[in-house]
Amino acid sequence: MAIDRRREAAGGGSGRQPPPAEENGSLPPGDAAASAPLGGRAGPGGGAEIQPLPPLHPGGSGPHSSCCSATGAPSLLLLDYDGSVLPFLGGLGGGYQKTLVLLTWIPALFIGFSQFSDSFLLDQPNFWCRGAGKGAELAGNTVSGRWGDMGNWTSLPTTPFSTDSWGAAGNRSNNNGTYGGDTPPLPSPPDKGDNASNCDCHEWDYGIRTGLVRNVVSKWDLVCDNAWKVHIAKFSLLVGLIFGYLITGCIADWVGRRPVLLFSIIFILIFGLTVALSVNVTMFSTLRFFEGFCLAGIILTLYALRIELCPPGKRFMITMVASFVAMAGQFLMPGLAALCRDWQVLQALIICPFLLMLLYWSIFPESLRWLMATQQFESAKKLILHFTQKNCMSPESDIKGVMPELEKELSRRPKKVCIVKVVGTRNLWKNIVVLCVNSLTGYGIHHCFARSMMGHEVKVPLLENFYADYYTMASIALASCLAMCVVVRFLGRRGGLLLFMILTALASLLQLGLLNLIGKYSQHPDSGMSDSVKDKFSIAFSIVGMFASHAVGSLSVFFCAEITPTVIRCGGLGLVLASAGFGMLTAPIIELHNQKGYFLHHIIFACCTLICIICILLLPESRDQNLPENISNGEHYTRQPLLPHKKGEQPLLLTNAELKDYSGLHDVATAGDGLPEGATANGMKSM
């Protein structure tokens, strides 16, 4: 009975027999209530708590009774990784742990190169019919391929980090030195009937603006009737990332993080280097899919390993350092392209640094936290001894007796879990779905803001240059990450996510509503408003929107890594990262359809931001909390109000932990002397 279990927990229960265990070593209800380390303490600002489990019914009809094991639960000491095992290993102060964290940072630079390579490999250059000369391009006559690109004169660039086609063609005059003085006026876009004559050419000359002499577009003449193949090539890497996140996440939860990381490294070397040897665009796109698949495995496993190595207070800082290293790769990418000059050399140079990660086979161990959570205690014991040997620790440092308890559990069979188990939970699936929608919305609406600032409606000469465009976007992302560090420190994960989502929604709604209003008033001659006023407002709202939406996407991924249990952490991360990939995928889809439906696309994501603001309030706060280790811990990782209760105030509504079987409440009157003084029937302290 619920009351009896609370009485035993309060009274010590020294002669208590071990209760039956649940799947993955989750705590039985009595022990979970009595175990201080596994119950997350309330963090600053009303942190979440890992609530005790509901009691098991004798008949096996309880929600978790089907998972019971006859061998008993593992020791509570072993299940409390952050409270007992990690301090025994020295936390993040051990030299070996610091080395492992550094090894998770270094590949972030290579990942940054690969993620932003499309901006250079697949950039659509200026092109004109060979023999016509560059003057034909600048004059905008019929041989200028820029204006004959399947009517795609308003199309977005290959990524949000490159300029629009209208601006690039108009600004070439100042870059190539052919014309001095002002940029000639842009020609009006051709109608559909002119495309055939504009593309009536067999050989092209290209003006590539990304520092390369030749890229994929110029290699296989992906212009005019073949321009759609560029978008397919963009799809291939993103779709590969999406499938990679979903599949490698499930595999990493089943076989471990280390095997997935090592095999992903091997295959990205194979596929990535083969991309540089592609003989046609079909081979290029196919191999890019597999390259993205393997890249997803590296990103996912490194992210999980980084989180699982750190104590509660250091997780966010360690993750943000990795983000800054990846941004360093983004900032260095233009210099790398200018150094290589050819797309094949650039592709090979991006992939070759992954050769260094082959050394991880002998250096990087499996995640000890995952081994403990899945009850692989034999392997965990060997790894703990390896940690103590590397850190030169003495056996006397084991104050809590982790090793003696581990010796007792060596015969236990491992219990691994798949992400599908989330379907049977009540709170955990809700948290993951909310974060999936947040990441989808954040990365999806980011493209809307990028197009508004770099699109044809905003005529800013500075942003017509590829490098100015590229570094503007990179600087906004860097500023967003710096702001995240400050906001999350003071407001926590949930408060920071809520603030950035509100900023995203405001920027989106103001851009959709206020700018249309300004556009109407600017048509009146006496209004005093011009199109330049509208353009300035559009730039301001776009910068704020990109700033906030980038933070929303990044923080959603990190939030998921903290509230998803260790046994399914890679699977949960895979779902959220795949949702982010779907958000990014909307950009090439809109480009492929010649920007048709763009306004509706922006409206849909603006509505999603309003829904996300409400859903974020359902999430728990994970700052300074122990990571949940199994399904039961994650299921009872419940939310707390944004504002903590006043001292002495008792909540009116019961939590899940207090919704017990009340069939034994009549025993309170006769056994009231067994309850602690000041305790009520539902276990709440009365003041």
Side-chain angles (χ1 to χ4, degrees), residues 245-291:
Y245 289 137
L246 295 174
I247 296 175
T248 59
C250 296
I251 297 176
D253 286 331
W254 195 259
V255 303
R257 285 76 165 116
R258 183 173 178 268
V260 174
L261 174 63
L262 297 177
F263 279 102
S264 297
I265 293 169
I266 293 172
F267 284 106
I268 198 174
L269 288 170
I270 295 173
F271 291 117
L273 293 176
T274 311
V275 167
L277 304 176
S278 300
V279 297
N280 53 47
V281 68
T282 303
M283 180 178 177
F284 176 86
S285 300
T286 304
L287 291 174
R288 288 282 280 181
F289 170 85
F290 292 106
E291 181 189 347

Short mmCIF file of all heavy atoms in Angstrom, two decimals, residues 245-291:
data_model
loop_
_atom_site.label_atom_id
_atom_site.label_comp_id
_atom_site.label_asym_id
_atom_site.label_seq_id
_atom_site.Cartn_x
_atom_site.Cartn_y
_atom_site.Cartn_z
N TYR A 245 19.97 10.17 -38.76
CA TYR A 245 19.60 10.45 -37.38
C TYR A 245 18.64 9.40 -36.84
O TYR A 245 18.78 8.93 -35.70
CB TYR A 245 18.96 11.83 -37.28
CG TYR A 245 19.91 12.99 -37.47
CD1 TYR A 245 19.55 14.09 -38.25
CD2 TYR A 245 21.16 12.99 -36.86
CE1 TYR A 245 20.42 15.16 -38.42
CE2 TYR A 245 22.03 14.05 -37.03
CZ TYR A 245 21.66 15.13 -37.81
OH TYR A 245 22.52 16.19 -37.98
N LEU A 246 17.64 9.05 -37.63
CA LEU A 246 16.63 8.11 -37.16
C LEU A 246 17.20 6.71 -36.97
O LEU A 246 16.91 6.05 -35.95
CB LEU A 246 15.46 8.07 -38.15
CG LEU A 246 14.65 9.36 -38.30
CD1 LEU A 246 13.62 9.22 -39.41
CD2 LEU A 246 13.95 9.72 -36.99
N ILE A 247 17.99 6.24 -37.91
CA ILE A 247 18.46 4.85 -37.87
C ILE A 247 19.64 4.68 -36.93
O ILE A 247 19.65 3.78 -36.09
CB ILE A 247 18.80 4.38 -39.30
CG1 ILE A 247 17.54 4.38 -40.17
CG2 ILE A 247 19.43 2.98 -39.28
CD1 ILE A 247 17.77 4.04 -41.62
N THR A 248 20.64 5.55 -37.05
CA THR A 248 21.80 5.39 -36.17
C THR A 248 21.45 5.66 -34.71
O THR A 248 22.09 5.11 -33.81
CB THR A 248 22.94 6.34 -36.61
OG1 THR A 248 22.46 7.71 -36.57
CG2 THR A 248 23.41 6.01 -38.00
N GLY A 249 20.43 6.50 -34.47
CA GLY A 249 20.00 6.72 -33.09
C GLY A 249 19.48 5.45 -32.45
O GLY A 249 19.83 5.12 -31.30
N CYS A 250 18.66 4.71 -33.17
CA CYS A 250 18.14 3.44 -32.64
C CYS A 250 19.25 2.42 -32.46
O CYS A 250 19.29 1.69 -31.46
CB CYS A 250 17.06 2.89 -33.57
SG CYS A 250 15.58 3.92 -33.70
N ILE A 251 20.17 2.37 -33.43
CA ILE A 251 21.26 1.40 -33.34
C ILE A 251 22.18 1.73 -32.16
O ILE A 251 22.65 0.83 -31.44
CB ILE A 251 22.05 1.36 -34.66
CG1 ILE A 251 21.14 0.90 -35.80
CG2 ILE A 251 23.25 0.44 -34.55
CD1 ILE A 251 21.80 0.93 -37.16
N ALA A 252 22.45 3.01 -31.94
CA ALA A 252 23.35 3.41 -30.85
C ALA A 252 22.77 3.06 -29.49
O ALA A 252 23.52 2.79 -28.55
CB ALA A 252 23.63 4.90 -30.94
N ASP A 253 21.45 3.07 -29.35
CA ASP A 253 20.83 2.67 -28.09
C ASP A 253 20.88 1.16 -27.89
O ASP A 253 20.73 0.68 -26.76
CB ASP A 253 19.38 3.14 -28.04
CG ASP A 253 19.26 4.64 -27.81
OD1 ASP A 253 20.17 5.20 -27.17
OD2 ASP A 253 18.28 5.24 -28.27
N TRP A 254 21.08 0.41 -28.96
CA TRP A 254 21.05 -1.05 -28.86
C TRP A 254 22.45 -1.65 -28.77
O TRP A 254 22.68 -2.55 -27.95
CB TRP A 254 20.29 -1.63 -30.06
CG TRP A 254 19.91 -3.06 -29.86
CD1 TRP A 254 20.52 -4.17 -30.37
CD2 TRP A 254 18.84 -3.55 -29.05
NE1 TRP A 254 19.89 -5.31 -29.94
CE2 TRP A 254 18.85 -4.96 -29.13
CE3 TRP A 254 17.86 -2.92 -28.28
CZ2 TRP A 254 17.92 -5.76 -28.46
CZ3 TRP A 254 16.94 -3.71 -27.61
CH2 TRP A 254 16.96 -5.11 -27.71
N VAL A 255 23.38 -1.18 -29.60
CA VAL A 255 24.72 -1.76 -29.61
C VAL A 255 25.75 -0.86 -28.93
O VAL A 255 26.88 -1.31 -28.68
CB VAL A 255 25.17 -2.08 -31.05
CG1 VAL A 255 24.19 -3.00 -31.73
CG2 VAL A 255 25.35 -0.81 -31.86
N GLY A 256 25.41 0.38 -28.67
CA GLY A 256 26.33 1.29 -28.01
C GLY A 256 26.73 2.46 -28.88
O GLY A 256 26.59 2.42 -30.11
N ARG A 257 27.25 3.49 -28.24
CA ARG A 257 27.64 4.69 -28.97
C ARG A 257 28.95 4.49 -29.75
O ARG A 257 29.10 4.96 -30.88
CB ARG A 257 27.85 5.86 -28.00
CG ARG A 257 26.56 6.47 -27.46
CD ARG A 257 25.92 5.63 -26.39
NE ARG A 257 24.92 6.36 -25.63
CZ ARG A 257 23.63 6.06 -25.62
NH1 ARG A 257 23.16 5.08 -26.37
NH2 ARG A 257 22.80 6.74 -24.84
N ARG A 258 29.88 3.79 -29.14
CA ARG A 258 31.21 3.64 -29.74
C ARG A 258 31.18 2.89 -31.07
O ARG A 258 31.79 3.35 -32.05
CB ARG A 258 32.14 2.94 -28.74
CG ARG A 258 33.57 2.78 -29.21
CD ARG A 258 34.44 2.24 -28.08
NE ARG A 258 35.81 2.01 -28.50
CZ ARG A 258 36.26 0.85 -28.97
NH1 ARG A 258 35.43 -0.19 -29.06
NH2 ARG A 258 37.51 0.71 -29.33
N PRO A 259 30.51 1.74 -31.19
CA PRO A 259 30.49 1.06 -32.50
C PRO A 259 29.87 1.91 -33.61
O PRO A 259 30.37 1.92 -34.74
CB PRO A 259 29.66 -0.20 -32.22
CG PRO A 259 29.76 -0.43 -30.77
CD PRO A 259 29.84 0.93 -30.16
N VAL A 260 28.78 2.62 -33.29
CA VAL A 260 28.14 3.46 -34.30
C VAL A 260 29.08 4.58 -34.73
O VAL A 260 29.19 4.90 -35.92
CB VAL A 260 26.82 4.03 -33.76
CG1 VAL A 260 26.21 5.03 -34.74
CG2 VAL A 260 25.82 2.90 -33.50
N LEU A 261 29.78 5.19 -33.78
CA LEU A 261 30.72 6.26 -34.11
C LEU A 261 31.84 5.75 -35.01
O LEU A 261 32.16 6.37 -36.04
CB LEU A 261 31.30 6.84 -32.82
CG LEU A 261 32.41 7.88 -32.98
CD1 LEU A 261 31.90 9.11 -33.71
CD2 LEU A 261 33.00 8.26 -31.63
N LEU A 262 32.41 4.61 -34.67
CA LEU A 262 33.55 4.12 -35.43
C LEU A 262 33.16 3.68 -36.84
O LEU A 262 33.87 3.96 -37.81
CB LEU A 262 34.21 2.96 -34.66
CG LEU A 262 34.79 3.35 -33.29
CD1 LEU A 262 35.34 2.13 -32.58
CD2 LEU A 262 35.89 4.39 -33.45
N PHE A 263 32.03 3.00 -36.97
CA PHE A 263 31.60 2.57 -38.30
C PHE A 263 31.17 3.77 -39.14
O PHE A 263 31.35 3.77 -40.37
CB PHE A 263 30.49 1.54 -38.18
CG PHE A 263 30.98 0.14 -37.89
CD1 PHE A 263 30.90 -0.39 -36.62
CD2 PHE A 263 31.54 -0.62 -38.91
CE1 PHE A 263 31.36 -1.67 -36.35
CE2 PHE A 263 32.01 -1.90 -38.65
CZ PHE A 263 31.93 -2.43 -37.37
N SER A 264 30.59 4.79 -38.51
CA SER A 264 30.23 6.00 -39.26
C SER A 264 31.47 6.69 -39.79
O SER A 264 31.48 7.22 -40.92
CB SER A 264 29.43 6.95 -38.37
OG SER A 264 28.21 6.38 -37.97
N ILE A 265 32.54 6.70 -39.01
CA ILE A 265 33.79 7.31 -39.46
C ILE A 265 34.35 6.56 -40.67
O ILE A 265 34.79 7.16 -41.66
CB ILE A 265 34.82 7.33 -38.31
CG1 ILE A 265 34.36 8.27 -37.19
CG2 ILE A 265 36.19 7.75 -38.81
CD1 ILE A 265 35.17 8.14 -35.93
N ILE A 266 34.35 5.24 -40.60
CA ILE A 266 34.89 4.43 -41.70
C ILE A 266 34.12 4.68 -42.99
O ILE A 266 34.70 4.90 -44.07
CB ILE A 266 34.88 2.94 -41.32
CG1 ILE A 266 35.86 2.68 -40.18
CG2 ILE A 266 35.22 2.07 -42.53
CD1 ILE A 266 35.79 1.27 -39.62
N PHE A 267 32.79 4.68 -42.90
CA PHE A 267 31.99 4.78 -44.11
C PHE A 267 31.92 6.21 -44.65
O PHE A 267 31.74 6.41 -45.85
CB PHE A 267 30.59 4.23 -43.86
CG PHE A 267 30.55 2.73 -43.84
CD1 PHE A 267 30.40 2.04 -42.64
CD2 PHE A 267 30.69 1.99 -45.00
CE1 PHE A 267 30.37 0.66 -42.61
CE2 PHE A 267 30.66 0.61 -44.99
CZ PHE A 267 30.51 -0.06 -43.79
N ILE A 268 32.06 7.21 -43.78
CA ILE A 268 32.07 8.57 -44.33
C ILE A 268 33.37 8.81 -45.09
O ILE A 268 33.40 9.58 -46.07
CB ILE A 268 31.88 9.63 -43.21
CG1 ILE A 268 31.47 10.96 -43.84
CG2 ILE A 268 33.15 9.82 -42.40
CD1 ILE A 268 31.12 12.03 -42.84
N LEU A 269 34.45 8.15 -44.69
CA LEU A 269 35.68 8.24 -45.46
C LEU A 269 35.51 7.59 -46.84
O LEU A 269 35.97 8.12 -47.86
CB LEU A 269 36.82 7.56 -44.70
CG LEU A 269 37.34 8.31 -43.46
CD1 LEU A 269 38.30 7.43 -42.67
CD2 LEU A 269 38.04 9.59 -43.88
N ILE A 270 34.82 6.46 -46.86
CA ILE A 270 34.62 5.75 -48.13
C ILE A 270 33.72 6.55 -49.06
O ILE A 270 34.07 6.85 -50.21
CB ILE A 270 34.03 4.35 -47.88
CG1 ILE A 270 35.04 3.49 -47.10
CG2 ILE A 270 33.66 3.67 -49.20
CD1 ILE A 270 34.49 2.14 -46.66
N PHE A 271 32.55 6.93 -48.56
CA PHE A 271 31.59 7.63 -49.41
C PHE A 271 32.03 9.06 -49.70
O PHE A 271 31.85 9.57 -50.82
CB PHE A 271 30.21 7.63 -48.77
CG PHE A 271 29.57 6.27 -48.72
CD1 PHE A 271 29.28 5.67 -47.50
CD2 PHE A 271 29.25 5.59 -49.88
CE1 PHE A 271 28.69 4.42 -47.44
CE2 PHE A 271 28.66 4.34 -49.84
CZ PHE A 271 28.38 3.75 -48.62
N GLY A 272 32.60 9.74 -48.71
CA GLY A 272 32.99 11.13 -48.91
C GLY A 272 34.09 11.29 -49.94
O GLY A 272 34.04 12.20 -50.78
N LEU A 273 35.10 10.40 -49.90
CA LEU A 273 36.16 10.49 -50.88
C LEU A 273 35.69 10.04 -52.26
O LEU A 273 36.18 10.54 -53.29
CB LEU A 273 37.36 9.64 -50.43
CG LEU A 273 38.09 10.15 -49.18
CD1 LEU A 273 39.19 9.19 -48.77
CD2 LEU A 273 38.67 11.54 -49.43
N THR A 274 34.72 9.12 -52.30
CA THR A 274 34.19 8.69 -53.59
C THR A 274 33.37 9.80 -54.24
O THR A 274 33.27 9.85 -55.47
CB THR A 274 33.33 7.43 -53.42
OG1 THR A 274 34.04 6.46 -52.64
CG2 THR A 274 32.98 6.80 -54.76
N VAL A 275 32.76 10.68 -53.44
CA VAL A 275 32.01 11.81 -53.99
C VAL A 275 32.93 12.65 -54.88
O VAL A 275 32.52 13.13 -55.95
CB VAL A 275 31.42 12.67 -52.85
CG1 VAL A 275 30.94 14.01 -53.39
CG2 VAL A 275 30.26 11.94 -52.19
N ALA A 276 34.17 12.83 -54.46
CA ALA A 276 35.11 13.63 -55.25
C ALA A 276 35.45 12.98 -56.59
O ALA A 276 35.97 13.65 -57.49
CB ALA A 276 36.38 13.87 -54.45
N LEU A 277 35.18 11.68 -56.72
CA LEU A 277 35.47 10.96 -57.96
C LEU A 277 34.23 10.73 -58.80
O LEU A 277 34.25 9.91 -59.72
CB LEU A 277 36.13 9.62 -57.63
CG LEU A 277 37.41 9.67 -56.77
CD1 LEU A 277 37.89 8.27 -56.45
CD2 LEU A 277 38.49 10.48 -57.47
N SER A 278 33.14 11.42 -58.50
CA SER A 278 31.88 11.22 -59.22
C SER A 278 32.06 11.55 -60.70
O SER A 278 32.73 12.52 -61.06
CB SER A 278 30.78 12.09 -58.61
OG SER A 278 30.58 11.78 -57.25
N VAL A 279 31.40 10.75 -61.54
CA VAL A 279 31.49 10.94 -62.99
C VAL A 279 30.27 11.66 -63.54
O VAL A 279 30.29 12.13 -64.68
CB VAL A 279 31.68 9.59 -63.70
CG1 VAL A 279 33.00 8.96 -63.29
CG2 VAL A 279 30.52 8.65 -63.41
N ASN A 280 29.20 11.74 -62.77
CA ASN A 280 28.01 12.48 -63.20
C ASN A 280 27.26 12.94 -61.97
O ASN A 280 27.57 12.54 -60.83
CB ASN A 280 27.12 11.64 -64.13
CG ASN A 280 26.77 10.29 -63.52
OD1 ASN A 280 26.38 10.20 -62.36
ND2 ASN A 280 26.93 9.23 -64.30
N VAL A 281 26.23 13.75 -62.19
CA VAL A 281 25.52 14.33 -61.06
C VAL A 281 24.68 13.29 -60.33
O VAL A 281 24.42 13.41 -59.13
CB VAL A 281 24.66 15.52 -61.54
CG1 VAL A 281 23.52 15.04 -62.42
CG2 VAL A 281 24.12 16.32 -60.36
N THR A 282 24.24 12.24 -61.04
CA THR A 282 23.48 11.18 -60.37
C THR A 282 24.34 10.46 -59.35
O THR A 282 23.91 10.19 -58.22
CB THR A 282 22.94 10.19 -61.42
OG1 THR A 282 22.14 10.89 -62.37
CG2 THR A 282 22.11 9.11 -60.75
N MET A 283 25.55 10.14 -59.74
CA MET A 283 26.48 9.49 -58.81
C MET A 283 26.80 10.43 -57.65
O MET A 283 26.88 10.00 -56.49
CB MET A 283 27.75 9.10 -59.55
CG MET A 283 28.80 8.41 -58.71
SD MET A 283 30.25 7.95 -59.69
CE MET A 283 31.32 7.28 -58.40
N PHE A 284 26.97 11.69 -57.96
CA PHE A 284 27.26 12.68 -56.91
C PHE A 284 26.14 12.73 -55.88
O PHE A 284 26.38 12.68 -54.67
CB PHE A 284 27.47 14.05 -57.55
CG PHE A 284 27.68 15.17 -56.58
CD1 PHE A 284 28.94 15.45 -56.09
CD2 PHE A 284 26.61 15.94 -56.14
CE1 PHE A 284 29.14 16.49 -55.19
CE2 PHE A 284 26.79 16.98 -55.25
CZ PHE A 284 28.06 17.25 -54.76
N SER A 285 24.89 12.82 -56.34
CA SER A 285 23.75 12.94 -55.43
C SER A 285 23.57 11.67 -54.60
O SER A 285 23.27 11.73 -53.40
CB SER A 285 22.47 13.23 -56.22
OG SER A 285 22.59 14.44 -56.95
N THR A 286 23.76 10.51 -55.21
CA THR A 286 23.60 9.25 -54.48
C THR A 286 24.64 9.12 -53.39
O THR A 286 24.33 8.74 -52.24
CB THR A 286 23.69 8.07 -55.46
OG1 THR A 286 22.73 8.22 -56.50
CG2 THR A 286 23.45 6.75 -54.73
N LEU A 287 25.88 9.42 -53.72
CA LEU A 287 26.95 9.30 -52.72
C LEU A 287 26.81 10.35 -51.63
O LEU A 287 27.17 10.10 -50.48
CB LEU A 287 28.31 9.43 -53.41
CG LEU A 287 28.70 8.27 -54.33
CD1 LEU A 287 29.99 8.58 -55.07
CD2 LEU A 287 28.85 6.98 -53.54
N ARG A 288 26.27 11.51 -51.97
CA ARG A 288 26.05 12.53 -50.95
C ARG A 288 24.99 12.08 -49.94
O ARG A 288 25.04 12.46 -48.77
CB ARG A 288 25.62 13.85 -51.60
CG ARG A 288 26.72 14.57 -52.32
CD ARG A 288 27.65 15.30 -51.40
NE ARG A 288 27.11 16.57 -50.97
CZ ARG A 288 27.74 17.42 -50.16
NH1 ARG A 288 28.93 17.11 -49.69
NH2 ARG A 288 27.19 18.56 -49.80
N PHE A 289 24.02 11.31 -50.40
CA PHE A 289 23.04 10.76 -49.47
C PHE A 289 23.72 9.90 -48.41
O PHE A 289 23.48 10.04 -47.20
CB PHE A 289 21.99 9.95 -50.23
CG PHE A 289 21.07 9.16 -49.34
CD1 PHE A 289 19.94 9.74 -48.80
CD2 PHE A 289 21.34 7.83 -49.04
CE1 PHE A 289 19.09 9.02 -47.97
CE2 PHE A 289 20.50 7.10 -48.21
CZ PHE A 289 19.37 7.70 -47.68
N PHE A 290 24.59 9.00 -48.85
CA PHE A 290 25.27 8.12 -47.90
C PHE A 290 26.28 8.88 -47.05
O PHE A 290 26.52 8.53 -45.89
CB PHE A 290 25.94 6.97 -48.65
CG PHE A 290 24.97 6.01 -49.27
CD1 PHE A 290 24.74 6.00 -50.63
CD2 PHE A 290 24.26 5.12 -48.48
CE1 PHE A 290 23.84 5.11 -51.20
CE2 PHE A 290 23.35 4.23 -49.03
CZ PHE A 290 23.13 4.23 -50.40
N GLU A 291 26.88 9.91 -47.62
CA GLU A 291 27.76 10.76 -46.82
C GLU A 291 26.98 11.44 -45.70
O GLU A 291 27.44 11.49 -44.55
CB GLU A 291 28.43 11.81 -47.71
CG GLU A 291 29.38 12.72 -46.97
CD GLU A 291 29.88 13.88 -47.81
OE1 GLU A 291 29.68 13.85 -49.03
OE2 GLU A 291 30.47 14.82 -47.24
#
